[in-house]
Amino acid sequence: MAQVAGKVAEAQRRERETRQQRDSPAVDRGPYEGDPEDLADQWAARHAEWRRVAALMDAQDWLVYSPERDVQGSTWARERDAQREGALARRAAWEMERQDACDELKAQVWLSADVSRRLRAIAARTGVEPEQVLAQLADRVRMDDDGALTVDTFTPR
């Protein structure tokens, strides 16, 4: 119980300090410090959580805090873990998407009117967009030993 009371006092002090820092001019902050608003909010949340734990221990006459007996705290911990896992998965997917985007080539191609008409006709017959026909064509291109580009016959899909 004494340790929890110490944590409540520490969180209260840190909440007060971070609120003061948040309200101070930005020139006093170092270049590597985080967002003072976010830090102040984090300490406010920790302070509230430590007060909740202290009140729970007092109401239940616990001498020692036990997370297994704290139903609300355990539920919130599971929710935080699920949110963290979801955020990590979204971050990994975003990073993979960025890597894929770096590997992609986007090109703007100007075709003559005759070639453009033929490409549009091929696309219309196969039911795909002209850009998809060109992408499929590029997928199938090979370079011979002499540097010549060749494409085997194929049907756009």
Side-chain angles (χ1 to χ4, degrees), residues 35-47:
D35 178 15
E37 183 73 35
D38 184 49
L39 187 59
D41 290 344
Q42 286 180 31
W43 276 108
R46 288 179 184 159
H47 185 204

Side-chain angles (χ1 to χ4, degrees), residues 70-87:
D70 182 358
V71 176
Q72 183 65 54
S74 297
T75 301
W76 286 346
R78 283 190 300 276
E79 289 172 359
R80 277 192 308 272
D81 289 344
Q83 286 177 347
R84 185 179 304 112
E85 289 173 17

Side-chain angles (χ1 to χ4, degrees), residues 119-120 122-124 126-136 156-157:
L119 178 60
R120 290 178 197 280
I122 292 167
T126 58
V128 296
E129 295 295 316
E131 294 83 3
Q132 292 171 316
V133 173
L134 290 176
Q136 291 176 27
R157 49 180 165 71

Side-chain angles (χ1 to χ4, degrees), residues 8-147:
V8 169
E10 177 190 6
Q12 182 179 18
R13 178 181 56 79
R14 297 294 301 263
E15 179 183 8
R16 185 178 58 253
E17 290 171 354
T18 56
R19 293 264 179 233
Q20 289 170 349
Q21 181 184 12
R22 178 197 66 189
D23 297 335
S24 70
V27 293
D28 295 340
R29 297 187 195 114
Y32 301 107
E33 290 189 32
D35 178 15
E37 183 73 35
D38 184 49
L39 187 59
D41 290 344
Q42 286 180 31
W43 276 108
R46 288 179 184 159
H47 185 204
E49 178 60 9
W50 280 115
R51 285 194 321 257
R52 185 195 68 79
V53 169
L56 176 67
M57 289 179 69
D58 188 43
Q60 300 292 325
D61 291 325
W62 293 351
L63 297 177
V64 176
Y65 176 74
S66 173
E68 297 81 27
R69 297 181 353 196
D70 182 358
V71 176
Q72 183 65 54
S74 297
T75 301
W76 286 346
R78 283 190 300 276
E79 289 172 359
R80 277 192 308 272
D81 289 344
Q83 286 177 347
R84 185 179 304 112
E85 289 173 17
L88 290 173
R90 286 189 302 277
R91 173 71 185 209
W94 176 76
E95 287 177 353
M96 180 65 74
E97 200 173 280
R98 281 189 62 217
Q99 181 61 44
D100 289 347
C102 289
D103 292 342
E104 289 178 356
L105 172 65
K106 294 181 183 178
Q108 189 172 26
V109 180
W110 294 94
L111 303 173
S112 68
D114 182 48
V115 173
S116 180
R117 279 191 291 278
R118 282 188 287 151
L119 178 60
R120 290 178 197 280
I122 292 167
R125 277 189 302 221
T126 58
V128 296
E129 295 295 316
E131 294 83 3
Q132 292 171 316
V133 173
L134 290 176
Q136 291 176 27
L137 181 65
D139 277 343
R140 289 167 175 75
V141 71
R142 289 181 291 114
M143 185 181 297
D144 293 339
D145 292 336
D146 61 354

